[in-house]
Amino acid sequence: MSAWPGDSQPLIRLLGECRIGSAGRLVYRKGWALLAYLAIERPRVHRRSRIAAMLWPDLAHGAALTNLRQVLTDLNRAIVAAAGEGVLLIDRETVRLCPVASQGLFDIDLLEPTLPAGLHAREWLEEAGELLEGVSLEQCDEFNEWLPGARAWALQRLLKALERARDDAAARGNLEVAVNLARRQVLLDPWDEAQQRSLMRLYACRGEPETALDCYRILERGLEQELAVKPQMATRTLAMEIAQRHAHAAPLRGYGRTRPVHAADKALRA
């Protein structure tokens, strides 16, 4: 099992911008689709004929297999350069990732809740995003039916990993890292108000109550525009508490007077 990402970076990234190694790129866009499919569907053995039909359904069988051979050659080149031999196992009939050699190389492998927290900030989590971000395959119905479920599976694991990393950073007093991780959570799942409240509390703890209230206002506006609902009572109550504490604390910080209550703050009480 690979070390937790606080101690090492994932060698192969599929969450957000895809890359292999420090700057590894693939020639073929469908190479990323294939790599994600093989990584999530480990340790299954996949027949090359079926993969070819999934990725090139509009081509004749022979042409689809030729395209697959080119994609596999490019993919294997990049993986061998970054991780060595024995990760991608290819023979005349089948292809798969070695369950042992490939374990811990991918960012999706480093989301396990059983991994130790580590001592360092998890910078890569701050950049992680949607599985195969920006990758779409036209006319590949079978793959496109598989992808939404895979993305949902990866997103839930990523959000849980971000939550654990955020709480660990906050417990260690590293509020900057905790805020960055919480912001990534909110960016990935903006309607999860529990995560919105966590971000607001972190900003308040960091001495940035106005930024915390800005988070509330953005959420309130987004919910109204997109879903025609108000924030949850717990979120509204937290925002009002932060606004009240900020107003009471202002004279003590040398502002000379209590901060005027502006319209946005009044709206918190609505």
Side-chain angles (χ1 to χ4, degrees):
M1 180 69 70
S2 172
W4 175 259
D7 303 315
S8 65
Q9 299 290 312
L11 192 63
I12 302 175
R13 300 195 187 194
L14 299 173
L15 302 173
E17 181 184 2
C18 296
R19 63 179 183 266
I20 299 174
S22 58
R25 296 291 186 267
L26 297 178
V27 174
Y28 304 104
R29 179 169 46 95
K30 288 186 178 180
W32 293 118
L34 175 57
L35 183 58
Y37 184 80
L38 295 176
I40 291 177
E41 298 297 331
R42 283 175 289 180
R44 289 175 52 196
V45 178
H46 306 274
R47 297 195 65 80
R48 292 174 64 159
S49 58
R50 183 179 178 281
I51 295 293
M54 179 176 69
L55 296 180
W56 292 276
D58 56 332
L59 294 184
H61 182 65
L65 285 173
T66 297
N67 284 1
L68 177 60
R69 182 170 62 250
Q70 293 171 343
V71 167
L72 286 173
T73 298
D74 179 52
L75 183 57
N76 193 51
R77 170 199 55 78
I79 292 177
V80 168
E85 300 279 354
V87 176
L88 184 61
L89 304 179
I90 305 170
D91 61 31
R92 292 177 62 86
E93 300 293 332
T94 66
V95 58
R96 68 184 176 110
L97 286 170
C98 175
V100 176
S102 67
Q103 185 62 34
L105 297 181
F106 293 83
D107 48 11
I108 59 173
D109 298 335
L110 300 178
L111 303 177
E112 294 290 344
T114 55
L115 291 172
L119 299 176
H120 306 294
R122 304 175 180 111
E123 296 89 350
W124 76 271
L125 277 173
E126 297 177 23
E127 302 173 355
E130 184 180 58
L131 178 72
L132 294 179
E133 188 171 273
V135 174
S136 62
L137 304 184
E138 296 180 0
Q139 300 178 338
C140 296
D141 293 346
E142 183 180 350
F143 180 81
N144 289 331
E145 289 175 4
W146 172 86
L147 184 57
R151 280 177 167 163
W153 172 84
L155 176 61
Q156 291 307 309
R157 288 162 58 87
L158 174 58
L159 290 171
K160 290 294 185 183
L162 283 164
E163 183 176 352
R164 293 192 302 272
R166 179 202 71 201
D167 292 347
D168 180 67
R172 296 177 185 278
N174 195 338
L175 293 183
E176 181 178 358
V177 171
V179 164
N180 289 340
L181 293 166
R183 288 176 62 186
R184 174 57 63 172
Q185 284 181 286
V186 166
L187 181 64
L188 292 169
D189 192 3
W191 306 137
D192 186 336
E193 292 195 40
Q195 306 308 336
Q196 292 273 7
R197 291 192 294 271
S198 293
L199 178 59
M200 291 166 62
R201 290 189 186 97
L202 285 168
Y203 273 127
C205 288
R206 206 166 72 163
E208 300 179 55
E210 197 59 47
T211 306
L213 294 176
D214 284 342
C215 292
Y216 175 83
R217 293 168 191 134
I218 292 169
L219 171 66
E220 182 182 43
R221 188 162 54 247
L223 287 173
E224 175 63 29
Q225 292 174 351
E226 299 295 329
L227 303 177
V229 298
K230 291 184 177 181
Q232 296 169 0
M233 180 58 69
T235 310
R236 298 170 66 194
T237 300
L238 175 63
M240 186 156 42
E241 290 173 352
I242 292 172
Q244 290 172 344
R245 286 200 300 268
H246 182 37
H248 294 156
L252 301 179
R253 292 175 181 169
Y255 294 154
R257 59 187 176 87
T258 301
R259 182 179 69 86
V261 177
H262 41 83
D265 290 340
K266 290 179 180 177
L268 302 181
R269 299 173 172 83

